Amino acid sequence: MQPVLDPNPRNGQKKLLLVFGSFLAIFVIIAIVATLASP
């Protein structure tokens, strides 16, 4: 089994990292909006 964080990632792994990063960014944005919306 390969390590998850490969120092030299292939194309698929880079794409997976991008998807995970965008998901994390969306989650953070939702959390900030929810915090601002709450009284």
Side-chain angles (χ1 to χ4, degrees):
M1 226 169 111
Q2 282 177 284
V4 179
L5 287 173
D6 205 345
N8 224 348
R10 278 170 249 12
N11 229 356
Q13 204 169 17
K14 204 178 269 185
K15 193 179 175 185
L16 190 77
L17 205 72
L18 195 76
V19 169
F20 186 73
S22 61
F23 181 77
L24 203 72
I26 290 163
F27 184 78
V28 168
I29 290 163
I30 290 167
I32 291 166
V33 169
T35 306
L36 289 172
S38 64

